[in-house]
């Protein structure tokens, strides 16, 4: 990394810490002063339970899931040379959601058994990516065609998920969090399962920085440099699917995170993936962590305005709305240019 990249990474790290702090103080049960007392080792047992057993694991899971999705999207866009590629529109996220929902509907997994959910989400994610790979055929190098096929595959997988819910309607309440994306109820069990998975695959993704940089230059130039493009692309896709599946199994489908974060990472760190990949991880963590804190604050404001005792705004709904708005703004600016 250059000095400029290091400074930007340092500022992003500060932003991640700020998002984490915002998430810790966003709840209404314990005020910010009470959170500070708990972090200093004081506070009553109820406050310690709320902060250390509920808020802290929720915040950590949100950060890890965001980092995973940011990395996954950057790897996908680089491996496929497609700025429209992302876990949400390449069949990876819908496949992972389908796997988790199907396993829950069959009684094989649930929020209380996150290990089984990770396995089911991985199988679904790989199935979705494989279906896209087969459908694209010889048009894998065409970004527009890949995007079209990705949307089709995602639509088919989403339709299959709806069919599963029709077959097992009693499971609707337990799987809606996977469909929308939520950090509600994440505890230490989810964190202990997610962080080693995310850390291992993040290291693997960053190790592919050099091959991915070559793939971004085109298959002909990458082959001329001695790179086996087929193996490199498969390895990259495996990393992207595994990172996405881990995030989906923990928090569900967070819309537009894996699609938009890579664009921000490339804008800040350039095309050198040795800097862009860690930058995408920090950006993803900051985005999801900040969105989770904002969702908690918005829940409090909305509950007070509607005179409700409790209201929970899913973080996935917030990322989807904000991401869609940003995508429309970018699309309009490019069309005007």
């Amino acid at each position: 990394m250059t000095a400029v990249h290091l400074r930007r990474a340092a500022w992003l790290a500060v932003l991640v810490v700020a998002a984490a702090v915002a998430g810790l103080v966003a709840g209404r049960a314990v005020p910010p002063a009470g959170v500070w007392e708990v972090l200093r080792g004081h506070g009553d047992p109820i406050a310690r339970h709320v902060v250390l057993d509920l808020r802290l694991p929720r915040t950590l899971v949100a950060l890890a899931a965001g980092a995973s999705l940011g990395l996954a999207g950057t790897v996908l866009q680089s491996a496929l040379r497609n700025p429209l590629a992302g876990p949400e529109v390449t069949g990876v996220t819908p496949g992972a959601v389908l796997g988790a929902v199907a396993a829950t509907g069959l009684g094989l997994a649930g929020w209380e058994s996150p290990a089984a959910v990770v396995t089911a989400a991985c199988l679904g994610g790989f199935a979705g990516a494989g279906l896209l790979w087969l459908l694209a055929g010889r048009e894998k190098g065409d970004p527009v065609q890949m995007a079209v096929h990705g949307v089709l595959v995602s639509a088919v997988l989403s339709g299959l998920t709806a069919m599963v819910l029709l077959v097992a309607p009693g499971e609707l309440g337990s799987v809606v969090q996977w469909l929308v994306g939520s950090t509600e109820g994440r505890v230490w069990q989810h964190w202990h399962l997610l962080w080693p998975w995310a850390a291992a695959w993040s290291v693997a993704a960053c190790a592919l920085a050099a091959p991915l940089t070559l793939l971004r230059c085109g298959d002909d130039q990458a082959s001329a440099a001695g790179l086996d493009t087929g193996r490199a692309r498969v390895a990259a896709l495996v990393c992207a699917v595994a990172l996405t599946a881990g995030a989906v199994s923990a928090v569900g489908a967070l819309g537009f995170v894996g699609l938009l974060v890579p664009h921000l990472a490339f804008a800040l760190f350039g095309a050198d993936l040795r800097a862009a990949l860690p930058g995408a991880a920090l950006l993803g963590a900051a985005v999801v962590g900040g969105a989770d804190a904002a969702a908690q604050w918005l829940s409090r404001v909305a509950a007070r305005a509607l005179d409700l005792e409790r209201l929970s705004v899913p973080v996935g709904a917030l990322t989807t709305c904000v991401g869609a708005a940003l995508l429309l703004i970018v699309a309009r600016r490019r069309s005007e240019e």
Side-chain angles (χ1 to χ4, degrees), residues 28 298-311:
R28 65 177 182 176
L298 183 60
S299 298
R300 294 177 59 182
V301 172
R304 189 179 298 112
L306 298 174
D307 196 21
L308 297 175
E309 182 177 351
R310 178 177 173 79
L311 177 66

Side-chain angles (χ1 to χ4, degrees), residues 5 17 21 23 29 63 80 89 97 186-187 222 258 274 317 326 336:
H5 290 159
V17 173
V21 172
L63 296 178
L80 300 178
V89 294
V97 171
R186 300 293 81 80
V187 293
R274 291 174 298 179
L326 291 175
E336 291 175 358

Side-chain angles (χ1 to χ4, degrees), residues 19-20 22-24 26-28 49-66 177 181-192 194 250-251 254 285 288-299 310-316 318:
L24 288 176
R28 65 177 182 176
H49 171 70
V50 170
V51 175
L52 300 180
D53 296 331
L54 299 178
R55 291 190 190 176
L56 184 56
R58 171 177 178 160
T59 299
L60 292 175
V61 167
L63 296 178
Q177 296 184 72
S182 174
T183 54
E184 190 80 17
R186 300 293 81 80
V187 293
W188 286 114
Q189 186 182 10
H190 298 91
W191 166 250
H192 292 322
L194 176 60
V251 299
L254 299 181
V288 176
D292 182 45
Q296 293 185 64
W297 285 103
L298 183 60
S299 298
R310 178 177 173 79
L311 177 66
S312 178
V313 176
V315 63
L318 194 60

